[in-house]
Amino acid sequence: MSLQIDTAIHLSPTYRLQWEKAQDMFVLLYPEGLIELNQSSAEILQVCDGKNKLADIVSVLEQKFSTSGLESDITHFLNTALENGWITQST
Amino acid sequence: MAGSLKAPSPPRWLLAELTYSCPLQCPYCSNPLDYADFKEELSTDDWKRVLKQSREMGAVQLGFSGGEPLVRKDLVELVDYSHELGYYTNLITSGYNMDEAKIIELKEAGLDHIQISLQASSKELNDFIAGTESFEHKKVVAKLIKKHGYPMVLCVVLHRQNIHQMKDILEMAIELGADFVELANTQYYGWAHHNRDQLMPTQEQLTTAEAIANEYQASQKGKMKIYYIVPDFFEGRPKACMNGWGTTFLTIAPDGLALPCHSARQLPNFDCPSVRNHSISEIWNQSKAFNYFRGDDWMQEPCRSCPEKGKDFGGCHCQAFLLTGDATNADPVCDLSPLHHVVTDAIEQAATSAAEKPLVFRNSKNSKVF
């Protein structure tokens, strides 16, 4: 199982991304579990909306942060997210 | 209340033990042996206050547990309220007395997930351990949970009498469509401590079970997540209990006692505070009980100078108390503990004396004896 570049990415239905005011961070919630996300992970997961493919996600975030060269870091994170079941790709 | 040290991290996990009532009689229940003495349950309004205050503090994972939480008439109302507050809501249930209408009603109230327990993979053993005929109904309920789109955790507590069914248990989990399987070796608190000799597995049983767990973890990768929780008696190192005392977990017992760990009620001179008299913020930040094992000033040797103390925090204090009489001792499951022999003795004693004693089932009649 590895990331398909031509398929849209969305958060798995088992997981919920949520802003936590008390902790000042995004968390990923799932049955009896909680993952505290750093800012870059949270930024990536927020644009896994079921429409964006890898290239779209890279471009959205590069634009948002007025930078370039994020593809390798984003691909690495999304592969980990896929491996952990946080995201899925439907064809 | 006593003054506190530096500000602790906020609670992330709230375990709401709504009631000690339960139609099942599992002899490994972690509820206190004398649970029948705590009859005065919190009201719906008390629970709403607890839920609101805890959420404001930072709690986001919420488990409705017990006993059997379905026994509470206000469960749907509490789920609905918690959902509105932004909790991720988990129902931890035996499935007993659950029906499709209730599953739908809870879904509409915003329940996020259901954990259902089974006691074994065969009707005969399940119903024996549960002390109640429940096997076929539980399987029907598990299928209904999946039918209505919930993520489902299937939980089976493992012990000497069912651990040989590992393979069948995992096959059953696949058949029922579980998303997660929690195969938790019994931890010896409450009723399990009392029944320890009859529940303690042998090393051979554990070796076989672990190999099966590993095999299924590999073959089910990406489909069903399997958590196999090893028994700390056989591990040589203690678990990092509660992710560190008073750092993450807050348990509220049915009578309103606030506990840093669900076994903490038994610790002597702890003065666990009650939500009837104190706010969650006072309890979490200032109470003696929640501050007691924060940091490492409380530690004795060998923990105090141990390079691993930041990893396991000295292990489980309730277990240290149960097995050595002093909660500030190192958890004796650690083989660096000078009292580690109490654990190896317990394993040996279980191997020789298990057949001589009957299991004591968890029910009100037996509870009144303690």
Side-chain angles (χ1 to χ4, degrees):
Chain A
M1 189 171 54
S2 66
L3 202 65
Q4 308 295 310
I5 54 165
D6 51 357
T7 312
I9 302 169
H10 59 88
L11 209 60
S12 297
T14 320
Y15 290 82
R16 186 163 103 204
L17 184 66
Q18 183 166 307
W19 171 255
E20 282 301 295
K21 198 171 122 199
Q23 295 177 68
D24 196 27
M25 63 167 73
F26 275 94
V27 297
L28 202 52
L29 299 164
Y30 60 101
E32 298 168 49
L34 151 81
I35 298 158
E36 299 179 338
L37 298 167
N38 62 25
Q39 198 201 341
S40 53
S41 307
E43 291 289 346
I44 300 169
L45 289 176
Q46 280 177 84
V47 289
C48 294
D49 60 357
K51 290 176 212 136
N52 288 329
K53 300 170 185 170
L54 176 61
D56 306 320
I57 291 169
V58 172
S59 126
V60 168
L61 293 177
E62 286 183 348
Q63 256 179 32
K64 181 169 177 182
F65 295 99
S66 311
T67 185
S68 61
L70 295 182
E71 182 170 347
S72 142
D73 283 351
I74 292 175
T75 308
H76 180 76
F77 172 78
L78 287 174
N79 268 309
T80 307
L82 190 69
E83 175 96 347
N84 289 327
W86 305 342
I87 54 166
T88 54
Q89 293 187 291
S90 40
T91 45
Chain B
M1 290 196 172
S4 67
L5 313 164
K6 64 176 187 212
S9 58
R12 261 61 56 79
W13 236 113
L14 173 64
L15 186 68
E17 293 186 331
L18 296 181
T19 179
Y20 282 138
S21 294
C22 186
L24 266 53
Q25 308 179 44
C26 307
Y28 50 72
C29 183
S30 62
N31 285 165
L33 285 164
D34 56 354
Y35 77 86
D37 292 346
F38 307 103
K39 291 195 188 81
E40 195 80 4
E41 290 183 0
L42 291 180
S43 68
T44 307
D45 286 344
D46 287 333
W47 276 115
K48 286 187 173 174
R49 189 181 67 247
V50 166
L51 290 162
K52 185 157 192 289
Q53 291 178 350
S54 302
R55 181 75 188 113
E56 282 165 0
M57 294 276 299
V60 59
Q61 275 288 345
L62 168 63
F64 288 111
S65 170
E68 171 52 67
L70 284 169
V71 171
R72 282 281 295 216
K73 300 276 182 275
D74 54 1
L75 178 64
V76 174
E77 185 180 348
L78 293 176
V79 168
D80 187 50
Y81 185 71
S82 308
H83 176 69
E84 254 174 59
L85 291 172
Y87 279 106
Y88 188 95
T89 50
N90 304 273
L91 177 67
I92 299 160
T93 179
S94 68
Y96 197 86
N97 278 341
M98 180 80 109
D99 59 19
E100 188 162 18
K102 184 64 88 180
I103 290 172
I104 294 169
E105 206 184 349
L106 286 164
K107 185 92 189 172
E108 285 169 358
L111 183 64
D112 290 297
H113 150 247
I114 299 178
Q115 181 203 104
I116 183 167
S117 67
L118 271 114
Q119 280 62 44
S121 61
S122 64
K123 176 175 162 41
E124 193 188 7
L125 188 54
N126 180 90
D127 293 352
F128 170 69
I129 295 292
T132 309
E133 188 172 336
S134 53
F135 184 68
E136 297 299 342
H137 178 67
K138 280 166 175 273
K139 292 213 300 184
V140 170
V141 169
K143 287 184 178 161
L144 287 170
I145 290 169
K146 286 314 297 174
K147 178 183 163 190
H148 289 282
Y150 288 95
M152 180 172 78
V153 173
L154 180 72
C155 175
V156 182
V157 174
L158 300 174
H159 46 78
R160 177 199 296 254
Q161 320 223 7
N162 70 355
I163 196 166
H164 63 283
Q165 293 187 335
M166 270 293 276
K167 209 176 171 68
D168 293 334
I169 289 169
L170 283 158
E171 288 296 333
M172 177 175 74
I174 295 169
E175 184 210 321
L176 295 175
D179 300 285
F180 303 82
V181 188
E182 194 177 308
L183 299 166
N185 276 285
T186 304
Q187 306 202 41
Y188 301 104
Y189 307 98
W191 294 78
H193 179 69
H194 188 76
N195 287 310
R196 191 177 65 194
D197 287 348
Q198 293 83 357
L199 296 171
M200 182 89 68
T202 63
Q203 183 64 60
E204 288 100 309
Q205 283 184 312
L206 288 170
T207 307
T208 309
E210 191 157 356
I212 296 169
N214 291 339
E215 178 197 320
Y216 276 79
Q217 275 165 342
S219 68
Q220 290 298 309
K221 200 169 167 56
K223 291 181 268 184
M224 183 174 86
K225 221 174 247 183
I226 301 165
Y227 300 106
Y228 177 74
I229 297 147
V230 295
D232 56 1
F233 269 53
F234 293 81
E235 280 299 289
R237 282 293 180 279
K239 54 190 178 271
C241 203
M242 308 316 289
N243 195 38
W245 187 269
T247 66
T248 311
F249 289 93
L250 168 63
T251 296
I252 308 297
D255 59 340
L257 214 61
L259 308 170
C261 136
H262 64 264
S263 293
R265 184 195 286 277
Q266 62 180 345
L267 296 175
N269 308 317
F270 243 65
D271 309 326
C272 283
S274 170
V275 300
R276 294 184 200 270
N277 312 319
H278 298 286
S279 70
I280 298 297
S281 158
E282 287 171 337
I283 287 167
W284 186 261
N285 292 318
Q286 292 158 34
S287 71
K288 175 183 162 192
F290 278 78
N291 278 306
Y292 205 93
F293 293 114
R294 280 183 176 140
D296 54 20
D297 287 349
W298 59 270
M299 281 182 183
Q300 305 191 47
E301 290 296 354
C303 295
R304 183 176 279 273
S305 60
C306 181
E308 294 176 44
K309 69 178 174 184
K311 208 166 101 186
D312 57 40
F313 320 111
C316 170
H317 316 306
C318 297
Q319 189 147 270
F321 170 70
L322 270 174
L323 299 182
T324 76
D326 181 351
T328 67
N329 273 334
D331 183 341
V333 302
C334 183
D335 61 21
L336 299 170
S337 159
L339 297 169
H340 182 60
H341 60 87
V342 300
V343 169
T344 48
D345 289 351
I347 294 171
E348 205 173 306
Q349 181 187 315
T352 53
S353 72
E356 296 160 20
K357 288 189 275 184
L359 280 169
V360 177
F361 286 85
R362 178 238 195 249
N363 56 45
S364 299
K365 187 167 153 256
N366 287 337
S367 176
K368 283 174 186 139
V369 177
F370 294 105

